Amino acid sequence: LLYRRRAAELERHPELREELALTANLSARVASLFSATGLPLTADSIEPLQLVKYEPGEHFGAHHDYHQTGESSVQGEQRMFTVLLFGSTLPFDGGGETHFPLLGVSVWPRVGDALAWMNVDDEGAPNPRSLHEGRPPLEHTKVAVNVWIADVPFDVDRGLKKAVLT
């Protein structure tokens, strides 16, 4: 999707083509899910995917996925939704859950499941109740993919370096 202009260069690296095909497929599937629910969406509104891996004891503290100001965004966009795709299963008592402290909700990862939430309210303003954290797994490795859905499509010609380097 983002690399159509570099197709010739990618011909020399089949492993990258496979990886890009996978990420394009995941983005397209998430976009079609949202479109099926009545929110017209294309993969162009999805940031480059982020693979995360938590070893036992590692965590990601409480945070919001929305942007406070345009300074933290890639192209001035706002992250309307987050979809977290789980690539591993952890036991219910094994830690590694995604916890929403203001809601009192925790979700344990199961491979193939996805967790979705709104980062903004109906007016597009940041929703502080979307505060969440990745709690540390106790004995197993947690693998997931962050899918951030923006309020506007990304313009590849404007550059995505800031998204790739964060």
Side-chain angles (χ1 to χ4, degrees):
L1 174 71
L2 299 177
Y3 299 94
R4 285 183 282 244
R5 295 176 301 162
R6 299 177 71 181
E9 180 181 339
L10 292 172
E11 288 299 319
R12 297 188 303 272
H13 301 283
E15 71 283 358
L16 292 178
R17 284 198 322 265
E18 291 174 16
E19 192 173 308
L20 288 171
L22 174 62
T23 60
N25 183 40
L26 289 173
S27 294
R29 289 184 71 182
V30 169
S32 68
L33 171 69
F34 275 81
S35 293
T37 65
L39 179 66
L41 183 70
T42 67
D44 291 336
S45 294
I46 296 176
E47 283 185 41
L49 304 182
Q50 180 190 57
L51 178 67
V52 294
K53 179 179 174 185
Y54 298 89
E55 296 293 345
E58 295 180 337
H59 70 282
F60 199 102
H63 65 284
H64 295 98
D65 288 347
Y66 58 73
H67 299 297
Q68 285 286 0
T69 67
E71 293 176 17
S72 66
S73 68
V74 177
Q75 295 181 347
E77 78 290 344
Q78 181 58 276
R79 291 176 173 165
M80 297 183 348
F81 296 93
T82 296
V83 179
L84 186 60
L85 308 174
F86 294 118
S88 59
T89 299
L90 275 69
F92 182 73
D93 59 353
E97 69 272 22
T98 301
H99 178 67
F100 293 82
L102 299 178
L103 303 177
V105 173
S106 292
V107 178
W108 277 261
R110 284 190 333 193
V111 70
D113 282 358
L115 174 62
W117 63 90
M118 283 186 73
N119 296 310
V120 297
D121 64 20
D122 291 339
E123 305 299 317
N127 180 359
R129 292 170 38 106
S130 66
L131 182 74
H132 61 285
E133 63 183 326
R135 291 194 167 162
L138 302 178
E139 297 179 12
H140 300 89
T141 300
K142 175 183 175 180
V143 176
V145 175
N146 286 313
V147 182
W148 292 304
I149 299 169
D151 58 348
V152 295
F154 288 94
D155 179 355
V156 177
D157 292 330
R158 288 180 55 204
L160 293 172
K161 184 175 182 178
K162 191 172 178 182
V164 174
L165 295 178
T166 59

